Every structure is written in C-alpha cells, then in structure tokens.
Amino acid sequence: MDTTPEQPNIRIALIGDYDPKVTAHQAIPVALDMAADHTGLKVQGQWLATDSIDADTPLDEFDGFWCVPASPYRSEDGALRAIRFAREQQRPFLGTCGGFQHAVLEYARNVLGWLDAEHGETSPDAARAVVTPLACSLVEAVDTVHLVEGSLIAQAYETSEIVEGYRCNYGVNPQFEQALFQQDLHRVGHDSAQGLRAIELSGHPFFVATLFQPERAALKGILPPLARALVEACAGQQQ
C-alpha cells in the first residue's frame, strides 16, 4: 500500500513572523482552507519567518506568496527578498497591510532605483521614507473602497465598490506618491476620502496589495475574494 502523503496542488509562502495573537495570522490559514474548498484544490500555506529568508531559501518551491500583516518584520531584508522574487519570477503575490507597505518599498528600491527608500516605521527620519504614518489612523475603522473597474482586485470582488475594515497605521507617503505610480505599479483602490488603499502591478499575472486585511472575513465564515483569487492565480500558472 502506498502511504506517501498526497502532495498539495498549491504551495503558498506566508511571508511574516507568525504570532498566534495576531488576528490576521489566525485568519489566513482559515481563508486558504476556504479557498481550497471553493476551488477543489489542495492548498498548503507555509509560514516563512522573515529572518529565515536569505539567498539560500528555496523560494522557487512555492507557487505563490502572501506577505502578511504585523510589521515591522524581524527582517525587512528577508521580506523584501521574497517580494522581489515573486515580482521578478511572475509568481502570484498578495500583500495585506504590512505586505502592502513592503511591496511599495521593494518596488521603489528595485524598480525605480531609489536605493535610499525606507519605511517610516523603522527609519522615521529618512529623507525618502516612501511609507509613513497615515494622516488618519485606520485601526478598527470601516469604510467604502472604490475599485478601478477592470482591475484584478475588482475582478476578484466582482464589483467596483466594497466595504472593508482597516487595521493599518502606515501608508504611501503623499510626497512620493505621484512618482511611485508613473510606471507599472498602479493605484486601484481609494477610500471615501480618496486615500490610497489598493495597488497592483501590470504585466504580472497577479500582484495585488491592500492597505486593509480582507483575510479577516474568513473568521466570520466568509470566503475572502482575494484569497480565492490568489489560489486561482497559482493554479493558472501551473497550467
């Protein structure tokens, strides 16, 4: 009898430092399980602590990447290395909250060539802090987010207007926003006050980041559309 465990169809790296007290960390495995049930695929989410990611980490073993909330991470460099791999190797990527912030930082450094780009949470006095404290705290706030029609995120939600809860204190620095979004990185979601809440990368099969935590819906028994979209994008890459 063959007792070899059946391998998952989809392996997704969860980039972040797991903390069972973080609500989003509780929700993400549930969200992936729900996406697996919905798609009929076997999905495995594997936590990759940021301080374990280096040049020898076999990132090519993963079909997709989810950079999760709860920054600052133990290793900013580790998180950025994984995001860069996903971007350059065309692997489906989802960033939520801290993942959004670090996707912006990675793009600024490695695509725009802003080697002095920093995250204001860890380098508050940096001359080019591309991520800085939001003018209004988005912790435990709920608002309507307007999505660009035809964007990947709008396709996932199947609507151009959604309601999401915010749990983030940092976002894109308005001082650099115009320059950040002149090439392949696009603004695709704004709240009722026109604050930037979602971005995605063109020329990539699936590279989406949100300044909200859609995964939390899973704890209420609701399949998060972006978790489903990430899994479906991974499956599409295998075909």
Side-chain angles (χ1 to χ4, degrees), residues 52-236:
S52 74
I53 302 170
D54 57 29
D56 296 323
T57 304
L59 297 176
D60 58 349
E61 293 181 355
F62 296 97
D63 301 294
F65 294 81
W66 187 336
C67 194
V68 308
S71 60
Y73 302 124
R74 291 201 294 263
S75 172
E76 180 179 273
D77 288 343
L80 296 181
R81 180 182 292 275
I83 295 170
R84 183 173 188 173
F85 178 88
R87 179 180 57 78
E88 292 184 340
Q89 301 303 315
Q90 301 278 296
R91 302 291 173 94
F93 171 85
L94 176 61
T96 51
C97 204
F100 172 107
Q101 298 157 19
H102 286 75
V104 169
L105 180 59
E106 190 280 326
Y107 183 86
R109 287 186 184 176
N110 298 319
V111 177
L112 299 182
W114 299 355
L115 300 183
D116 60 341
E118 295 288 351
H119 192 305
E121 188 171 22
T122 51
S123 301
D125 298 323
R128 186 144 35 187
V130 297
V131 176
T132 49
L134 294 165
C136 297
S137 174
L138 294 182
V139 176
E140 304 307 327
V142 176
D143 197 4
T144 299
V145 180
H146 301 275
L147 307 175
V148 173
E149 291 189 15
S151 61
L152 290 172
I153 186 171
Q155 292 175 36
Y157 277 91
E158 299 180 337
T159 182
S160 60
E161 187 172 293
I162 62 176
V163 175
E164 285 287 355
Y166 301 149
R167 280 93 189 173
C168 306
N169 284 313
Y170 287 78
V172 172
N173 185 343
Q175 180 181 350
F176 300 108
E177 184 172 338
Q178 193 64 35
L180 276 166
F181 297 101
Q182 287 187 342
Q183 298 186 29
D184 296 329
L185 195 62
H186 301 286
R187 295 166 283 194
V188 294
H190 292 82
D191 65 15
S192 59
Q194 291 304 302
L196 179 59
R197 301 295 169 249
I199 60 175
E200 62 188 47
L201 189 66
S202 60
H204 192 287
F206 188 88
F207 193 103
V208 176
T210 69
L211 206 57
F212 50 86
Q213 298 179 15
E215 56 266 39
R216 288 195 176 203
L219 297 179
K220 300 177 181 179
I222 301 169
L223 170 60
L226 285 174
R228 184 201 73 237
L230 175 64
V231 168
E232 291 175 345
C234 292

Side-chain angles (χ1 to χ4, degrees), residues 1-9 42 44:
M1 178 183 295
D2 184 3
T3 58
T4 303
E6 188 173 356
Q7 295 299 305
N9 297 109
K42 294 186 181 299
Q44 178 189 52

